[in-house]
Amino acid sequence: MSQMEKRACPDQIMSQNVQHKPAFLFLLLLYLSFIALGLPDTGLGVAWNQMRADFGVPLEYAGFITMTITVCSAISGFLNGKILARYGTGRVTAVSCTLTALAIIGFSLSESYWLILLLAVPLGLGAGAVDAGLNSYAAENLSSKHMNWLHSSWGIGATLSPVILTIGITQFGSWKAGYGFIGVVIFCLSLSLFMTLSFWKQKRQGGAKEEIREDKPWICGIAPYLSVMAYIIYVAVEGGIGLWLSVLLVESRGLDLSAAGFLAGAFFGSIMIGRFLMGFIADALGNRKLIVLGLAISAAGSAAFFYQENVMIYGTGIILLGLGFAPLYPAMMHETSKRYGSGQAKKIIGYQVAFSYISLLTFVPLIGYIASRTTLEFIPVFTAVSVAALALVIKTLNQLT
């Protein structure tokens, strides 16, 4: 090797490091975006008691806020494919994140319940667009490993939100402080998204420009409907357990409130931890095997969940359900980008996000209604049937695509 070549090597290495740094920072920004996506989702329950006292409204009025956010998020999901195709993922995500931030900051400045309800419209539209846009981009451009870790990051945001609202109430005397902090954090993130718009036009693998390519033929028939049906089933059972588990454990199985709360927390904690752990094996197994593994663990968990007599057995079942559910949402979405061409995949992912919100809005209350009219032990039955139905849908979908 000549002296000139030897001198060139360090420069080349430095150049390579400089080239890799923006990619790493952009990936870090995506992780922060998923954390921020979880921040608005879980804090209202903590803040509502003080909010309703300030506004002088009944307890049930919180339902109108969550319903408005959910419906508007679903609308964003339905429009996702057309909007992304016209304006691009980066711009849509940055603008939607700004809309979400301004709505939450508006929460912190509001003196009226009706203004909060009005602000729930842009909050839902913005959050739904960010949800669909980030998932579409991650499914198309990142590995299954990162897809699992990104969704685990959402769990961090969802976990931090009640903590932030609690600190706002206990340390600063008002729920407005907590919402103000969350809004400012998301607004700062939106500025970062605007500053990195050029990176959204690059594929993480190979640096190709973002464009609508049909790598596979447009798939008609039942397959796209099954891809959406899988999310309706999954969100119904996860949301149903999440909302009604504590009630089941206290009123049907005789646990005290603290033990029931611990197991409910363990369910969501095992989903978050499970996604982190599954990320280490996701690329090696591939999405389809990862989904099968998740369904197998879920089936074992649902069987143990049935057993009413021993808290150790059904407690283990609850944790297994969380671990089994962990890879399903991210792996099914990541596989959508592989089942279909790019343009069709974006539309389907938008529908998956939209119907997830609709399932949360309709089936989760329906589960509670049926359980209250029959027996709370309907919930474990529904869980087992849903896991079996989801396995059948996935098996059929794999055969068709």
Side-chain angles (χ1 to χ4, degrees):
M1 182 182 291
S2 68
Q3 292 296 324
M4 182 176 295
E5 289 174 328
K6 289 179 180 179
R7 287 195 299 269
C9 287
D11 295 335
Q12 291 173 354
I13 293 172
M14 183 179 295
S15 174
Q16 290 172 357
N17 288 337
V18 171
Q19 290 172 356
H20 282 296
K21 184 178 268 188
F24 169 77
L25 292 177
F26 182 61
L27 186 61
L28 178 62
L29 183 63
L30 290 178
Y31 275 92
L32 293 175
S33 297
F34 267 84
I35 292 174
L37 185 61
L39 285 175
D41 288 354
T42 54
L44 182 61
V46 174
W48 181 244
N49 275 336
Q50 193 180 76
M51 289 174 73
R52 71 186 183 94
D54 290 348
F55 297 142
V57 296
L59 180 68
E60 62 269 20
Y61 271 37
F64 297 119
I65 299 174
T66 56
M67 187 180 299
T68 301
I69 295 171
T70 304
V71 170
C72 291
S73 297
I75 292 172
S76 284
F78 282 121
L79 298 176
N80 176 67
K82 292 182 179 179
I83 295 175
L84 291 182
R86 183 169 182 177
Y87 298 106
T89 306
R91 279 187 289 178
V92 171
T93 303
V95 170
S96 300
C97 191
T98 304
L99 190 65
T100 301
L102 293 177
I104 295 175
I105 292 173
F107 270 37
S108 71
L109 300 174
S110 179
E111 299 293 338
S112 165
Y113 168 81
W114 301 107
L115 181 56
I116 292 283
L117 191 62
L118 181 63
L119 289 168
V121 175
L123 175 57
L125 292 173
V130 173
D131 193 355
L134 286 175
N135 276 295
S136 294
Y137 182 86
E140 188 173 358
N141 294 284
L142 300 178
S143 67
S144 181
K145 169 182 67 178
H146 286 296
M147 195 70 172
N148 277 273
W149 287 346
L150 286 167
H151 280 270
S152 181
S153 298
W154 175 91
I156 295 174
T159 302
L160 286 176
S161 182
V163 175
I164 293 171
L165 266 297
T166 300
I167 292 173
I169 293 170
T170 57
Q171 300 299 317
F172 298 93
S174 174
W175 54 271
K176 293 182 178 182
Y179 272 121
F181 179 80
I182 291 173
V184 169
V185 168
I186 297 178
F187 184 75
C188 291
L189 176 65
S190 70
L191 294 179
S192 300
L193 291 171
F194 277 111
M195 293 171 62
T196 57
L197 285 179
S198 60
F199 289 100
W200 292 90
K201 298 178 181 180
Q202 299 176 350
K203 299 290 185 186
R204 183 150 169 79
Q205 303 293 336
K209 295 291 183 183
E210 183 186 55
E211 59 182 358
I212 302 233
R213 290 184 295 109
E214 296 305 330
D215 298 317
K216 293 184 178 182
W218 194 275
I219 297 178
C220 301
I222 196 175
Y225 297 97
L226 291 177
S227 293
V228 174
M229 179 62 69
Y231 275 83
I232 295 174
I233 296 171
Y234 172 79
V235 172
V237 65
E238 184 200 288
I241 294 174
L243 184 59
W244 304 116
L245 179 59
S246 291
V247 178
L248 165 71
L249 296 177
V250 172
E251 296 189 11
S252 179
R253 301 197 176 178
L255 292 187
D256 60 52
L257 191 59
S258 61
F262 173 80
L263 284 176
F267 172 70
F268 284 111
S270 62
I271 292 178
M272 183 173 66
I273 294 171
R275 284 175 178 166
F276 175 74
L277 295 176
M278 293 292 181
F280 289 103
I281 61 173
D283 290 344
L285 284 183
N287 292 323
R288 299 195 181 195
K289 290 182 179 179
L290 195 64
I291 293 168
V292 170
L293 175 62
L295 288 169
I297 297 173
S298 301
S302 64
F305 190 28
F306 264 112
Y307 195 75
Q308 304 179 33
E309 305 303 323
N310 190 312
V311 67
M312 292 298 295
I313 293 177
Y314 68 72
T316 300
I318 291 168
I319 293 172
L320 287 176
L321 280 170
L323 291 174
F325 288 170
L328 296 183
Y329 193 106
M332 290 191 301
M333 191 162 287
H334 195 265
E335 188 64 15
T336 298
S337 66
K338 299 180 181 299
R339 296 184 194 274
Y340 310 97
S342 177
Q344 190 180 17
K346 287 181 179 178
K347 289 183 179 180
I348 293 173
I349 288 174
Y351 291 149
Q352 287 172 332
V353 171
F355 276 99
S356 293
Y357 287 115
I358 292 173
S359 181
L360 198 65
L361 186 64
T362 55
F363 284 101
V364 173
L366 182 61
I367 294 167
Y369 178 81
I370 295 173
S372 67
R373 294 297 185 275
T374 56
T375 171
L376 288 169
E377 294 301 327
F378 166 77
I379 296 169
V381 175
F382 176 81
T383 300
V385 171
S386 296
V387 170
L390 183 57
L392 180 61
V393 168
I394 294 298
K395 179 180 179 181
T396 307
L397 191 57
N398 287 343
Q399 292 172 343
L400 293 174
T401 55

